[in-house]
């Protein structure tokens, strides 16, 4: 067993982490999948690229991110020097599309024709949206990844050709079947190579719990995501190249990965919609819906990036409006007015802050966050209350498993630190 397959076994059993895997592919590795097919990895955190050699040139599925696309290109060129004929985007997220510009530049420098870029039609809508919300995206991404000052890319490389439901391409003797599904995004494509039984799933598979709930992003599509995973499972792939993380080579394991991901999403959707149909409030649903211990135990379904509770919110939002079923939330009082009232009733903002500390240190971080925000809104100028807020959010961050949950609390902890004078 070589080092990579040994590491894979440890990832599959949950003994190794995705950080361990990132360390093993740092600087760019072209991982051989079949004759004429490699997956290029640079880091778990940025999307994989699949490269296919054809008689007409190379076909790439995704192109890498701003941070690592140069490493992806270098790894590709260590493998093959041929011009890039076509780039397929699995979706319009920047860690999959940004690198396309490098292949345009390379083609111009070497006198090749530029590659043709193909994607689902909604990638065009996405890039239009990115143009009008550039500063918002900088802010949201900076907060999500805990990088204040982050700047979102601009000048997105548009696709040259788009499709709607499915598209078959025959390029230099190799068949590529592009199929559209909605999941993390509404512009997603998974790519099936029937001759080799290789599936490039894009971010429908990312080795952690599906990112179908992200609090700061546009709508995600949990039910469609599950359907797409079932569609992929029905193809019986021999090899799966996920959007992020290592390639899965064994057909029964590919089936298990796809099937368990679908089952997790189906379970959340079924439970949430059943309760919505009984007229339950969002609050009741959030605190009632649960995943089975078997699914929670799967190493590739760990809530390290997104959180199943956020997915439930997004399912609610897919089927219903923003009103959550609590009449006080229909036309709420300004936060500061409510905080002043609660604080007066409690005997002062300091008492609320003290109680928040007690709750946070005893593990009741949800309640603690409410009380410390009341205290902070009631006495916004108090450095002592802000210092308590720093501590409370430290406990809140520790209580979260997801990168997104931790990062959002970190944003408000930074705010509290600045206002505490510390
Ligand atoms: Zn991605």
């Amino acid at each position: 067993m070589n080092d990579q397959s040994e590491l894979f076994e440890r990832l599959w059993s949950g003994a190794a982490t995705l950080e361990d895997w990132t360390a093993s592919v740092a600087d760019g590795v072209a991982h051989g999948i079949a004759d004429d097919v490699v997956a290029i990895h640079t880091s778990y955190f940025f999307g994989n690229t699949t490269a296919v050699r054809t008689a007409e040139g190379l076909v790439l599925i995704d192109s890498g991110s701003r941070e690592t696309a140069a490493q992806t290109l270098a790894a590709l060129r260590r493998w093959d020097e041929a011009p890039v004929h076509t780039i397929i985007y699995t979706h319009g997220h920047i860690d999959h599309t940004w690198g396309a510009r490098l292949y345009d530049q390379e083609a111009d420098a070497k006198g090749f024709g530029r590659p043709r870029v193909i994607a689902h039609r909604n990638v065009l809508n996405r890039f239009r949206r990115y143009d009008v919300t550039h500063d918002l995206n900088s802010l949201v991404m900076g907060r999500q990844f805990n990088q204040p000052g982050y700047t979102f890319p601009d000048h997105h490389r548009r696709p040259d050709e788009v499709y709607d439901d499915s598209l078959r391409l025959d390029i230099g003797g190799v068949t590529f079947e592009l199929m559209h599904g909605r999941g993390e995004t509404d512009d997603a494509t998974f790519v099936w190579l029937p001759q080799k039984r290789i599936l490039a799933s894009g971010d429908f598979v990312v080795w952690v719990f599906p990112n179908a709930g992200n609090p700061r992003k546009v709508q995600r599509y949990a039910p469609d995501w599950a359907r797409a995973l079932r569609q992929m499972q029905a193809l019986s792939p021999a090899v799966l190249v996920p959007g992020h993380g290592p390639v899965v080579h064994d057909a029964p394991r590919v089936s298990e990965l796809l099937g368990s991901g679908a089952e997790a999403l189906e379970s959340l959707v079924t439970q949430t919609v059943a309760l919505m149909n009984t007229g339950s409030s969002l609050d009741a649903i959030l605190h009632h819906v649960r995943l089975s211990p078997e699914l929670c135990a799967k190493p590739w379904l760990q809530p390290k990036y997104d959180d199943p509770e956020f997915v439930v919110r997004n399912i609610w939002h897919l089927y219903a409006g923003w009103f959550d079923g609590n009449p006080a939330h229909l036309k709420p009082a300004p936060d500061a007015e409510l905080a002043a009232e609660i604080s007066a009733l409690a005997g002062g903002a300091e008492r609320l802050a003290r109680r928040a500390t007690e709750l946070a240190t005893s593990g009741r971080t949800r309640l603690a966050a409410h009380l410390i925000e009341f205290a902070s809104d009631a006495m916004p100028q108090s450095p002592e209350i802000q210092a308590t807020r720093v501590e409370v959010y430290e406990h809140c961050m520790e209580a979260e498993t997801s990168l997104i949950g931790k990062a959002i609390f970190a944003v408000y902890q930074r705010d509290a630190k600045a206002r505490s004078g510390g």
Side-chain angles (χ1 to χ4, degrees):
M1 202 184 276
N2 67 28
D3 287 355
Q4 275 296 327
S5 56
E6 191 199 344
L7 176 58
F8 183 91
E9 292 305 320
R10 291 172 52 230
L11 283 163
W12 188 260
S13 69
T17 65
L18 293 163
E19 286 78 9
D20 297 331
W21 182 78
T22 289
S24 79
V25 298
D27 304 329
V29 169
H31 171 88
I33 295 177
D35 289 346
D36 300 329
V37 186
V38 292
I40 302 172
H41 307 301
T42 55
S43 156
Y44 171 73
F45 302 98
F46 305 112
N48 293 326
T49 293
T50 305
V52 184
R53 204 183 265 133
T54 83
E56 288 187 58
L58 300 176
V59 175
L60 304 185
I61 303 168
D62 288 334
S63 61
S65 68
R66 178 169 61 183
E67 291 79 0
T68 59
Q71 292 171 355
T72 300
L73 173 59
L76 177 75
R77 288 316 180 196
R78 287 194 293 274
W79 178 65
D80 197 299
E81 283 293 326
V84 175
H85 179 277
T86 296
I87 300 174
I88 301 163
Y89 291 159
T90 60
H91 58 300
H93 277 168
I94 52 175
D95 56 323
H96 298 257
T97 62
W98 190 92
R101 71 194 66 199
L102 300 187
Y103 298 93
D104 284 346
Q105 288 164 10
E106 184 195 49
D108 293 349
K110 293 187 176 174
F112 305 155
R114 286 188 172 195
R116 163 184 68 161
V117 177
I118 301 183
H120 184 263
R121 184 179 302 281
N122 285 345
V123 168
L124 292 172
N125 297 336
R126 169 181 303 280
F127 288 163
R128 278 193 286 271
R129 175 163 61 79
Y130 283 172
D131 288 343
V132 297
T133 57
H134 179 264
D135 293 352
L136 171 67
N137 292 336
S138 294
L139 198 133
V140 166
M141 292 289 276
R143 289 179 164 191
Q144 179 165 316
F145 294 108
N146 234 330
Q147 292 176 28
Y150 175 94
T151 306
F152 198 75
D154 52 13
H155 302 295
H156 304 279
R157 169 62 158 93
R158 261 65 175 172
D160 303 301
E161 292 175 28
V162 295
Y163 78 100
D164 290 299
D165 298 322
S166 63
L167 178 69
R168 180 190 158 117
L169 301 170
D170 291 295
I171 303 172
V174 183
T175 300
F176 298 83
E177 293 177 8
L178 282 60
M179 296 173 224
H180 167 58
R182 299 193 303 180
E184 186 188 10
T185 66
D186 65 359
D187 60 356
T189 293
F190 54 92
V191 184
W192 174 234
L193 279 66
Q195 293 141 318
K196 298 173 190 293
R197 308 201 68 74
I198 295 171
L199 172 74
S201 67
D203 283 1
F204 286 108
V205 179
V206 292
W207 277 91
V208 290
F209 198 85
N211 179 19
N214 196 317
R216 297 295 305 264
K217 297 286 183 73
V218 296
Q219 182 69 51
R220 272 84 164 91
Y221 304 92
D224 310 58
W225 192 328
R227 273 196 294 280
L229 290 169
R230 292 295 184 198
Q231 217 182 324
M232 291 182 223
Q233 194 182 21
L235 296 168
S236 300
V239 180
L240 166 68
V241 186
H244 296 248
V247 175
V248 186
H249 282 274
D250 173 55
R253 282 181 168 176
V254 172
S255 180
E256 187 181 350
L257 197 74
L258 295 168
S260 56
E263 198 182 333
L265 291 168
E266 286 158 358
S267 170
L268 293 182
V269 171
T270 306
Q271 293 179 63
T272 303
V273 174
L275 288 166
M276 289 175 80
N277 279 326
T278 67
S280 293
S281 68
L282 177 58
D283 171 68
I285 294 173
L286 285 173
H287 298 292
H288 189 274
V289 172
R290 289 288 174 271
L291 280 174
S292 72
E294 294 74 34
L295 286 170
C296 292
K298 302 279 186 199
W300 54 87
L301 289 179
Q302 294 308 298
K304 288 182 180 169
Y305 184 49
D306 207 333
D307 185 317
E309 184 174 324
F310 301 158
V311 179
V312 171
R313 284 185 179 274
N314 230 316
I315 296 167
W316 170 283
H317 197 255
L318 181 63
Y319 290 111
W322 56 263
F323 178 56
D324 63 6
N326 178 337
H329 295 164
L330 185 65
K331 299 291 286 285
D335 289 345
E337 260 181 53
L338 176 62
E341 189 68 22
I342 298 280
S343 145
L345 289 169
E350 294 86 352
R351 288 185 71 164
L352 285 171
R354 262 201 310 280
R355 180 65 182 149
T357 306
E358 288 167 17
L359 290 166
T361 49
S362 68
R364 300 178 74 189
T365 49
R366 290 173 187 253
L367 261 183
H370 285 287
L371 296 201
I372 197 62
E373 283 305 296
F374 284 140
S376 172
D377 284 343
M379 280 188 72
Q381 308 304 333
S382 161
E384 291 77 20
I385 285 176
Q386 293 306 323
T388 306
R389 198 164 164 245
V390 172
E391 280 171 42
V392 168
Y393 287 138
E394 190 64 35
H395 289 286
C396 290
M397 284 155 64
E398 280 166 20
E400 294 308 306
T401 61
S402 73
L403 175 148
I404 296 173
K406 285 178 189 290
I408 289 179
F409 283 125
V411 167
Y412 297 93
Q413 191 190 47
R414 276 198 295 277
D415 167 73
K417 268 185 190 153
R419 289 160 64 186
S420 71

